């Protein structure tokens, strides 16, 4: 409302645009959740009635839980390895001066900017030239490769934001380099490392294109959904997708609540 008491057009349109934007973002999620309760039968394209049977037996569709377990295994290994390597690379790029540092800073972005089709095809060509059959191991190697860049960028931002005077103060108190890192620097890096790990896991769990090139007969959950789409995605896939969304939402809410509680204690 302006000074003359008249409602400006912009003030009226902003809520409308915001509502349309949220509707656009949330419709696919709402569809996935709604059709997890569909009494679908063999196909899950048309609403046939409400049922809880899909949630009572999420492994009811053939191979759906096996594919989920495969994705969780690949995502866990790729997250742990890429987070460790990416954190070490980020620390080296921010804290140390060495020949080729500027080039390394540039090259670390290449996997992020390269189309996944190119990465997937290039990795497959290398595996085949080395006579390595595509499967679980090649998928893990591929996921670690593209997750490292995202971890480096995320942790780098956190390392660059740290005040070096904190470590200098620790040194003034006779702390060794390792003690200053472990007791001062590392606890401050933990939020950034956790954020990078969550990002790496979500990227690995969600990846289809690179996985499809390098998986052979090995099936992950996204690949299962893609293959199932040709004959109708089972409602159990919607159940798993909805559960993953709920877990991610709970994690985000939990982190926000924890952060707010820490700020109030300060």
């Amino acid at each position: 409302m302006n000074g003359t008491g008249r409602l400006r057009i912009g003030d009226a349109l902003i809520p409308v645009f915001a509502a349309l934007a949220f509707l656009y973002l949330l419709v696919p999620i709402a569809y996935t959740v709604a059709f997890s309760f569909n009494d679908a039968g063999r196909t899950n394209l048309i609403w046939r009635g409400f049922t809880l049977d899909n949630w009572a037996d999420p492994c009811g569709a053939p191979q759906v839980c096996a594919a989920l377990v495969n994705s969780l295994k690949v995502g866990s290994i790729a997250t742990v390895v890429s987070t460790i390597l990416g954190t070490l690379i980020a620390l080296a790029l921010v804290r140390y001066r060495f020949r080729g540092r500027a080039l390394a800073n540039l090259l670390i972005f290449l996997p992020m900017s390269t189309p996944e089709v190119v990465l997937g095809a290039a990795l497959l060509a290398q595996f085949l030239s080395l006579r390595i059959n595509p499967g679980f191991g090649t998928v893990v190697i591929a996921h670690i490769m593209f997750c490292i860049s995202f971890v480096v960028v995320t942790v780098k931002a956190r390392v660059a934001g740290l005040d070096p005077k904190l470590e200098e103060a620790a040194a003034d108190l006779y702390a060794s380099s390792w003690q200053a890192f472990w007791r001062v620097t590392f606890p401050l890096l933990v939020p950034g490392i956790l954020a990078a790990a969550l990002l790496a896991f979500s990227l690995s769990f969600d990846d289809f294109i690179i996985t499809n090139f390098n998986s052979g007969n090995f099936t992950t959950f996204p690949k299962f959904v893609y293959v199932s789409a040709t004959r109708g995605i089972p409602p159990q896939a919607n159940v798993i997708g909805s559960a993953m969304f709920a877990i991610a939402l709970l994690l985000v809410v939990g982190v926000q609540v924890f952060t707010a509680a820490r700020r109030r204690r300060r």
Side-chain angles (χ1 to χ4, degrees), residues 49-235:
F50 181 87
T51 181
L52 294 174
D53 292 345
N54 304 322
W55 283 85
D57 185 18
C59 296
Q63 298 185 344
V64 64
C65 280
L68 173 65
V69 171
N70 289 339
S71 282
L72 292 176
K73 287 180 180 176
V74 172
S76 300
I77 297 172
T79 298
V80 171
V81 177
S82 64
T83 300
I84 294 173
L85 294 178
T87 300
L88 295 176
I89 294 172
L91 285 169
L93 291 176
V94 176
R95 291 296 178 87
Y96 299 96
R97 301 288 183 270
F98 53 90
R99 184 177 297 176
R101 177 170 172 263
L103 181 61
N105 266 314
L106 176 64
L107 293 178
I108 205 67
F109 286 96
L110 280 183
M112 300 172 63
S113 58
T114 305
E116 289 194 359
V117 172
V118 177
L119 280 180
L123 282 170
L124 177 61
Q126 293 180 46
F127 289 135
L128 293 180
S129 65
L130 294 173
R131 300 184 185 279
I132 300 175
N133 293 324
F136 175 78
T138 55
V139 172
V140 170
I141 293 172
H143 283 209
I144 291 172
M145 184 275 300
F146 70 74
C147 284
I148 283 179
S149 295
F150 291 93
V151 174
V152 171
V153 172
T154 305
V155 178
K156 259 183 67 180
R158 184 68 180 175
V159 177
L162 293 182
D163 189 350
K165 293 180 180 177
L166 294 173
E167 292 186 356
E168 294 173 5
D172 291 340
L173 296 174
Y174 303 106
S176 64
S177 298
W178 171 251
Q179 288 173 327
F181 172 78
W182 187 247
R183 297 189 177 183
V184 178
T185 305
F186 184 73
L188 295 173
L189 290 179
V190 166
I193 295 173
L194 289 178
L198 289 175
L199 177 62
F201 183 80
S202 63
L203 289 170
S204 172
F205 186 85
D206 189 53
D207 182 75
F208 168 73
I209 298 177
I210 296 177
T211 303
N212 196 41
F213 272 99
N214 296 281
S215 59
N217 294 324
F218 181 72
T219 301
T220 60
F221 185 68
K223 187 177 176 182
F224 170 83
V225 172
Y226 176 77
V227 174
S228 299
T230 58
R231 56 180 185 275
I233 299 173

Side-chain angles (χ1 to χ4, degrees), residues 24 125 240:
Y24 176 70
I240 293 173

